Amino acid sequence: MAPHELRRPFKRPAISDQQRRRDLALIRQTQQRSDSQNRARRLASSLFDLPSHSFPDACQADFPDNVDVGYAIALEQSPELEASSPTVRHLDFVQASKLKGSAARHWFARQLMLTEWMIDVPPNLDRDWYVFARPAGKRCFVVSSNGSTVSRLRNGSVLHHFPSSLPNGARTKEISAPSHVYCILDCIFHEPDQTYYVIDMVCWRGYSLYDCSAEFRFFWLNSKLSETGACNPPSTYHRYRFSVVPIYDCNRIGLHKAYTGGFAFVKDGLLFYNRHAHYQTGNTPLALVWKDELCSQYVLDTDSEGHVPAEQQVVLELQDDGKLTTSDDPPILFGCLEKEIIQKAGNFLRFSVIDECVRIVDGKLELGDLKFVGKANRARAFADSYSKVFFQYTARHSPLQFQDLIASLDPNLDENSESNDMEMID
Amino acid sequence: MSLQITQLLLSAQSADGRVRSAAEETLKQFQEQNLPHFLLSLSVELADDLKPPESRRLAGIILKNSLDAKDALRKADLTQQWVNVDASLKVQIKESLLLTLRSPVSEASQTASQVIAKVASIEIPRREWPDLIGRLLANMTQPDTPATLRQATLETLGYVCEEISPQDLEQQEVNAVLTAVVQGMSGVQESYKVRLAAVRSLYNALDFAQTNFENEMERNYIMKIVCETAVSEESEIRQAAFECLVSIASIYYEILGPYMEALFSLTANAVKGDEESVALQAVEFWSSICDMEIQIQDEYDGDDVRSSEGYHNFIQRALSMLVPMLLETLLKQEEDQDQDDSIWNLSMAGGTCLGLVAKTVCDEILPLVMPFVEGNITKPDWRSREAATFAFGSILEGPSIEKLLPMVHAGLDFLLNAMNDQNSQVKDTTAWTLGRIFEILHSSNCEYQVVTPSNLQRIISVLLEGIRDAPNVADKVCGAIYFLAQGYEDAESDSSILTPYLGQIISALLWTTDRTDVSSSKLRSSAYETLNEIVRCSQIPETTNMIAQLLGEIMNRLGRNVELQILCSEEKEKQSDLQASLCGVLQVIIQKLCTSDDTKLIFLQAADQLMALFLRVFACQSSTVHEEAMLAIGAFAYATGQEFVKYLPEFYKYLEMGLQNYEEYQVCSISVGVVGDICRAVDDKILPYCDGIMTNLLKNLSNSMLHRSVKAPLFSCFGDIALAIGENFEKYVPYVMPMLQGAAELCANLDDNDEEMLEYGNQLRRGIFEAYSGILQGFKTSKAELMMPFANHLLQFTEAVFIESNRDDAVTKAAVAVIGDLADTLGPSIKILLKNANFHVNFLGECFSSEDDQLKETALWTQGMIGRVLAS
């Protein structure tokens, strides 16, 4: 038998650089193939992802109306995209990536998924819904990209510009995420402990979660966020702590926990998310907010001084033809502006509700005559939604109570049955 | 006819080329016209003692080659051919073969035993030669069989065992074979040749003896006979017996316990006093035990292996006697052994085994070896110094770095001084040991540093002096520099402490490549390869100027080289070796320069000139050069991007040549990879060349002569092209899709007991998925509907892969991505298909629980795509 073939070259210098060159070339090719396929895939997921929003004239950027934020950022960071992808060349990326000021505000103002107010209890609450306590604070979008993190309020204006441990959220040496990496989180900034409570994950490391069920988004949020160190206490490269909110199945136990449980944050009502719903920008009936005095200090709307006005107030948008509408899509008509009041179309106007004029017809709220109060706060980007007006009305008259929620749960459904398998179908 | 064939067979061995080729041609015609009769007449020729031995031998060889071939596909064809031969003819042929074993002409009987084994390899697994073993054994049991027949029979049994696998024989047959073989080994009255044949066939039969080795009595008996044979009078028999022990060590490791003491003294005696060929096998026995124990440790992967039942700790238990025995062998160097890299003698085998022992017992080797090192390294006798150094170099892999580091620190200065030893072998081994230290223990990211800012300067100056020493020493020094540089490859800082020395190192390496006192080209290519590592590990931007200069120098060298007009074939070979080395360096430099935008400019300025050089190189014939130049072009295309279009008209013909070079499959494989690089660089500008490229790719896929490792990359390449040219890929769909479907079917039918086939299957699956992904994404915007007819097949294939237990991570990633691509491209039209094929739920679930972030992200994307379709 010949000596062991592998043993022969023991004392030979072990250089086989040619094989190494081959291997390295193969690794490079594999990586580049996967990059270019992923590029094709990412374009795909962004181009027809989001519902279109028309830009008002005020927006000076001549900007395509159906580009998502991840896409815009991806564009910003991969200039070669323009050259390599004929399919999207007609879009003006350069402008898209350079959105600043009011255009950026306007655009971001339309990216959040907005909860409707719970007017009545949806069916199958226990089977199809999650419940969690809403931290009191400012709802915002947090975007980490290109070595910095920006939070933007619901109206699109910047709240903080800061370094964070989110992927690509700070310019540090340690975090060497590829440049195309960016994240978008749906958060509430809680002033007392200066913490961003993440209530939803929209994009993570460049991958869009818009098309994923809430069930999956929450799973991903819970497993991913802490890995990055974003939940660590603040430090030089991580100015604000991020935190997740405990999310419960909406059964008797979960509902009680969310309602009466103690949390690190001040509670402001309960949020209900349908577990199968995708992340949808704008108002959606698949994410609901509910409040009562016990779990929120802000059940009834307050005025600018923080007082609850004697009469319910609503903010409506004035249309060209003088009609007053909600922010819903399509808008709900609540009345017409009296001729003598001169206001510019597109403005948001504040009215008092006259209780005697309100009627509920076939479950629909009709406000009747409204009393003009004045222009709404300049920072307003939206009128009130129909569900908010309705909720505020019932809150003042016959509120939906916690017992009603409990009563709606199916007593036959075993509360411990965890039907938590990853379901993606319908 | 019999006369005619004898003459033909003799003429086919004629010294006269014309006579030879005419005879070969006639034989070939004969074979093609009537294969069964051709085979029959060959077997008759082989059996006929009246025929000349030369014609009989060639008859046997042609028979053998008509039954077996190295290439798997050809082999399958030949098998089928034989199976189709008329049964009565086959019986006649086999009878002739068995008859030939009786021939006193050993050339005939030996050839016949090999042919019988080839027939057996086809027929025994198919149960078509049930009486073969019985017929052979009868030769052994009948009284008065001549020794030549007994020898030929034993050899035949050995060959047959080598060809078939254990499950092909009944246990009864195995028992009878073992009995015959063991009797042949131990028979006092048997001739030397019979006993040798018996030991050698035992070697092949060991695999069949599973049941016998489980039975203590039978096992004791076999081991007793083997051990007795290992001290036979004849050294050839002793060697063969030790070869059996080596094989037993790896097949039956777990039952060796009771025999180890005896085996130790047996091997120790052989190592000490027997002839080298026997001693080498005795050392190999211990190396095999090490292999087994290392393998078991790997399987336990950190768990406490010593408490496990299957691990017997033989090496550790024998350590105190084994190590001194091995150290002794190190002192048995041959003069001038440093001149021959491939030399295999007792000291080499001993050092190798010592290295394996270190890997097996780790720290425990140190107290047994270090006194030997310290005691011998200063002795006046060069053998002692060399053995001490070799011992130290051999045990560096295994012990913990904490334990080794103080010793290395204490010894490093000594080793550096020893580079001035008056003996060349000591210097050679010292340089090798330095290389091992850097290779195994040196990394800039490690907590423990072998190379420090304070000793680096001395190390470099010793190495740069050593590189001027004798060629064999210089070669080892190149290795040491290579690994020294490699230690800085993953350095996290922008600046390397090696940088100040790089200028000197590069000039020393270039000087080495120009040495004229070297006979072989080995040193020169080592120096160039070390240069490659220096470039790879250098820190941009602080070394930018140096690399730019080196680029100029290498281009000049290549420029001068391609100008040379050489006719002499030996010089010509040297010239192409050099071209290959230079192209290798250029490839590495291009890749390095393109890691940053600033340095990329340096490359871009030289690009035209570089391409001109590469084209000259392609004009040369050697395949190694083509491979290296092709690799460089891949890096080049990636770096130039769209600009590469301008080179395509001239470069294309060489690309085509590469794609057509199926014989040198490495060249073909790299050319296929380069097509991908070019696609990504120029996108749809590759369109004018696609017909040609696709034709070649498709031809290659159907070419059974092409090495199978190229097949999977061919599929991936379809994906690259489709992604680049988008809807223009439409015209290739009718050709490509059947290929993909056929390959998918093939995957399902691969032998999953064969590890190589498993790996091939995985490569193939990944290639198929990558092809689909590229095509789907390429068609997405305008021709999505073209893929509709294939959606169901693709889903079925993906499901089959999902179920496949041997699927590797890369396949999983490609499979999960392709489902997303399918959903992304075909959208709502595959809603029902996706609903029905709901394996994706579990598949994605599996991916989400993976540790691999990339996989999870891909799965996430796919889930989004599926979700969108299902919600539509």
Side-chain angles (χ1 to χ4, degrees), chain B residues 28-48:
Chain B
K28 205 173 147 200
Q29 279 173 15
F30 193 5
Q31 179 170 23
E32 278 163 8
Q33 278 160 12
N34 193 339
L35 180 80
H37 281 96
F38 178 66
L39 296 178
L40 179 64
S41 37
L42 289 174
S43 71
V44 170
E45 180 79 13
L46 179 60
D48 191 342

Side-chain angles (χ1 to χ4, degrees), chain A residues 240-378:
Chain A
Y240 296 100
R241 180 207 290 269
F242 286 77
S243 185
V244 291
V245 178
I247 293 167
Y248 306 103
D249 286 341
C250 195
N251 52 35
R252 204 172 291 265
I253 298 170
L255 208 47
H256 271 289
K257 274 192 186 153
Y259 183 61
T260 57
F263 297 97
F265 49 83
V266 178
K267 230 184 288 182
D268 179 20
L270 301 180
L271 290 172
F272 295 81
Y273 274 56
N274 185 296
R275 68 167 80 221
H276 308 298
H278 292 187
Y279 195 96
Q280 183 186 338
T281 59
N283 292 315
T284 171
L286 296 174
L288 300 170
V289 59
W290 173 88
K291 300 177 180 185
D292 71 2
E293 254 75 29
L294 193 95
C295 67
S296 171
Q297 302 168 14
Y298 315 99
V299 181
L300 295 183
D301 272 358
T302 54
D303 61 20
S304 52
E305 270 101 52
H307 302 302
V308 175
E311 290 160 334
Q312 181 186 355
Q313 300 205 336
V314 296
V315 173
L316 298 171
E317 183 173 0
L318 178 63
Q319 302 292 343
D320 291 337
D321 51 6
K323 284 183 176 143
L324 294 168
T325 59
T326 65
S327 62
D328 299 273
D329 183 25
I332 308 283
L333 180 67
F334 266 144
C336 283
L337 195 66
E338 295 155 48
K339 295 257 163 34
E340 56 271 31
I341 304 170
I342 314 285
Q343 290 293 339
K344 222 171 107 190
N347 275 358
F348 301 112
L349 306 179
R350 183 175 289 272
F351 298 89
S352 283
V353 175
I354 306 160
D355 283 349
E356 297 75 53
C357 303
V358 175
R359 297 190 328 154
I360 297 179
V361 183
D362 296 335
K364 292 254 185 309
L365 183 75
E366 291 177 4
L367 293 181
D369 288 343
L370 294 166
K371 192 160 82 193
F372 179 64
V373 178
K375 282 213 270 185
N377 188 320
R378 280 174 52 98

Side-chain angles (χ1 to χ4, degrees), chain A residues 1 3, chain B residues 235 238-239 242-243 269-284 329 332-334 337 343-350:
Chain A
M1 191 176 68
Chain B
S235 70
R238 292 199 302 276
Q239 183 189 340
F242 272 106
E243 283 169 8
N269 288 334
V271 170
K272 270 196 199 90
D274 210 325
E275 287 175 30
E276 186 167 52
S277 63
V278 184
L280 281 175
Q281 290 305 322
V283 174
E284 183 62 28
T329 65
K332 299 188 178 166
Q333 306 96 329
E334 291 169 77
Q337 69 176 18
I343 195 145
W344 189 250
N345 57 32
L346 194 54
S347 68
M348 285 296 152

Side-chain angles (χ1 to χ4, degrees), chain B residues 210-501:
Chain B
Q210 195 79 43
T211 313
N212 312 80
F213 266 85
E214 281 162 16
N215 177 311
E216 194 186 341
M217 237 175 55
E218 290 182 49
R219 177 173 74 224
N220 282 340
Y221 185 65
I222 297 173
M223 289 302 288
K224 177 174 161 279
I225 299 292
V226 178
C227 289
E228 282 170 12
T229 314
V231 292
S232 310
E233 249 171 65
E234 302 87 347
S235 70
E236 253 187 299
I237 295 185
R238 292 199 302 276
Q239 183 189 340
F242 272 106
E243 283 169 8
C244 286
L245 287 175
V246 170
S247 175
I248 290 170
S250 48
I251 310 176
Y252 300 111
Y253 167 85
E254 62 279 6
I255 53 84
L256 283 181
Y259 313 106
M260 280 314 272
E261 241 182 86
L263 289 171
F264 183 83
S265 50
L266 202 59
T267 49
N269 288 334
V271 170
K272 270 196 199 90
D274 210 325
E275 287 175 30
E276 186 167 52
S277 63
V278 184
L280 281 175
Q281 290 305 322
V283 174
E284 183 62 28
F285 171 82
W286 289 101
S287 292
S288 295
I289 299 279
C290 289
D291 283 343
M292 287 307 294
E293 300 201 334
I294 292 168
Q295 191 188 328
I296 299 171
Q297 288 179 19
D298 285 350
E299 282 161 13
Y300 275 78
D301 194 28
D303 291 345
D304 188 13
V305 70
R306 299 206 169 154
S307 59
S308 90
E309 256 179 49
Y311 191 79
H312 295 303
N313 237 343
F314 292 138
I315 296 298
Q316 197 216 15
R317 279 152 58 189
L319 205 58
S320 62
M321 314 218 295
L322 179 62
V323 171
M325 172 184 105
L326 293 172
L327 291 172
E328 277 302 300
T329 65
L330 302 189
L331 292 159
K332 299 188 178 166
Q333 306 96 329
E334 291 169 77
E335 297 286 347
D336 295 334
Q337 69 176 18
D338 58 338
Q339 300 301 317
D340 179 3
D341 272 331
S342 58
I343 195 145
W344 189 250
N345 57 32
L346 194 54
S347 68
M348 285 296 152
T352 307
C353 188
L354 196 61
L356 290 168
V357 172
K359 271 191 181 169
T360 312
V361 302
C362 306
D363 290 354
E364 287 175 63
I365 189 104
L366 293 171
L368 291 161
V369 171
M370 289 314 287
F372 177 86
V373 175
E374 286 153 11
N376 285 287
I377 204 152
T378 51
K379 282 199 179 157
D381 166 29
W382 74 264
R383 286 176 192 277
S384 304
R385 297 198 304 278
E386 197 275 340
T389 315
F390 190 30
F392 188 59
S394 298
I395 58 162
L396 291 171
E397 204 177 353
S400 61
I401 188 160
E402 294 93 323
K403 283 269 161 59
L404 277 174
L405 204 69
M407 300 177 186
V408 169
H409 271 306
L412 190 62
D413 206 47
F414 191 94
L415 287 172
L416 292 173
N417 284 330
M419 286 299 291
N420 287 317
D421 199 286
Q422 70 265 33
N423 179 279
S424 163
Q425 286 214 37
V426 175
K427 286 192 281 189
D428 183 278
T429 303
T430 304
W432 171 80
T433 301
L434 287 170
R436 292 261 296 172
I437 290 175
F438 300 144
E439 179 185 3
I440 298 164
L441 300 171
H442 159 58
S443 155
S444 64
N445 292 330
C446 180
E447 186 184 345
Y448 306 96
Q449 297 284 333
V450 176
V451 183
T452 63
S454 59
N455 64 16
L456 181 61
Q457 187 174 5
R458 169 130 166 81
I459 291 172
I460 301 276
S461 71
V462 169
L463 291 177
L464 294 187
E465 202 177 318
I467 207 170
R468 292 169 183 272
D469 212 313
N472 59 304
V473 177
D475 191 30
K476 305 286 192 300
V477 169
C478 284
I481 297 176
Y482 188 99
F483 291 115
L484 181 67
Q486 195 165 76
Y488 297 103
E489 190 170 23
D490 303 320
E492 276 157 4
S493 96
D494 297 338
S495 176
S496 160
I497 60 168
L498 198 59
T499 304
Y501 306 104

Side-chain angles (χ1 to χ4, degrees), chain B residues 801-818:
Chain B
V801 171
F802 166 58
I803 298 164
E804 164 70 46
S805 56
N806 297 306
R807 149 171 67 92
D808 68 19
D809 289 353
V811 173
T812 305
K813 210 173 286 178
V816 82
V818 91

